[in-house]
Amino acid sequence: MGLMSINDLVEVEGQPLVLNVDLQGEKTLDWAQRNRDELESLVATNGAVLIKGLKVVSTGQFSKLLQTIFQGPLLEYQYRSTPRTGLKGNIYTATEYHASETILQHNENAYSNEWPLRLGFLCMQASPVGGETPIADSCKLYELIPQEIRDKFESKQLKYVRNYSDVDLPWQEVFQTSDKGEVEAFCRQKNIDFEWLPGDRLRTWQINPASIVHPVSGKKVWFNQAHLFHVSSLGKDMKESLINSLGKEFLPRNVYFGDGSEIDESELQLIRDLNQDLRIKFKWEKHNLMLIDNTRFSHGREPYEGNRKILVGMSAPSGFQFI
């Protein structure tokens, strides 16, 4: 089978997306090895591909499959922002938030100065109700955001502040170590400012851009997690409860402009709404494999009922080059 162009993909809600594969007795890994260059080209040009027809039965096989397609090792999930379980071969469970919760659209690690260029999602068990993983084009999002808001965010940049505790994630889980020296070394390497607080607590902050230039198209991409990190994303009641109990300075996570000034909540809500409007949703089926250009497409999660098991692997690190 030769994968030549986007014309091979079936559209979902107007977006070329689904690649139907007939293995004809060929092993999944052999098929991936034979078509890996065409697959990478397809992801690079289209941004996302949902592959149907493969057979992936184990975590180890999934890890080998992604390494074959992405033509490189998979990344460890460091400086994490959500709870996950690490499995064999740098494969992880999808974010382990309660089934009733919606996970808003986001580009993986867009709150950091390093992020994976490629994501691979595998459906091991589809939930009977809900549980979709919507995707949305971050280039289109950039174009839809009013210019005055874009200009403000781009000129001021964004300051992400995190306080690590049992309210959200302890620093030992985020940095995958209980050694303070290792945490400090990691922060210095990644240009993350940090401060140890009484009671073995840690606060970090980091200033990053609101947008980046896509490495293939050269277009501007809205690439940040301000709409997720800001306390307003939790809803009015939860926001007020956390501020009243912890104090704004000690919120588990929050975001400001780079100069420390407050971000208008109505502007963040506009960005959330635009992102939700851009969502492309599809129904998971067992063995479905979704490949994503993480710079271009965001992803989220719909609430679900019943059992659901989606695995993820990340590859091809990228990031800002600091001078």
Side-chain angles (χ1 to χ4, degrees), residues 252-268:
R253 65 183 78 185
N254 204 4
V255 64
Y256 305 87
F257 284 124
D259 59 6
S261 60
E262 295 282 350
I263 302 174
D264 189 322
E265 291 185 15
S266 66
E267 295 177 349
L268 291 170

Side-chain angles (χ1 to χ4, degrees), residues 101-117:
E101 294 186 49
T102 298
I103 299 177
L104 297 177
Q105 296 301 122
H106 62 284
N107 304 83
E108 199 65 40
N109 281 49
Y111 54 84
S112 175
N113 58 30
E114 283 193 351
W115 59 86
L117 284 175

Side-chain angles (χ1 to χ4, degrees), residues 2 57 72 124 165 228 252 265:
V57 298
M124 297 294 281
S165 71
L228 263 184
E265 291 185 15

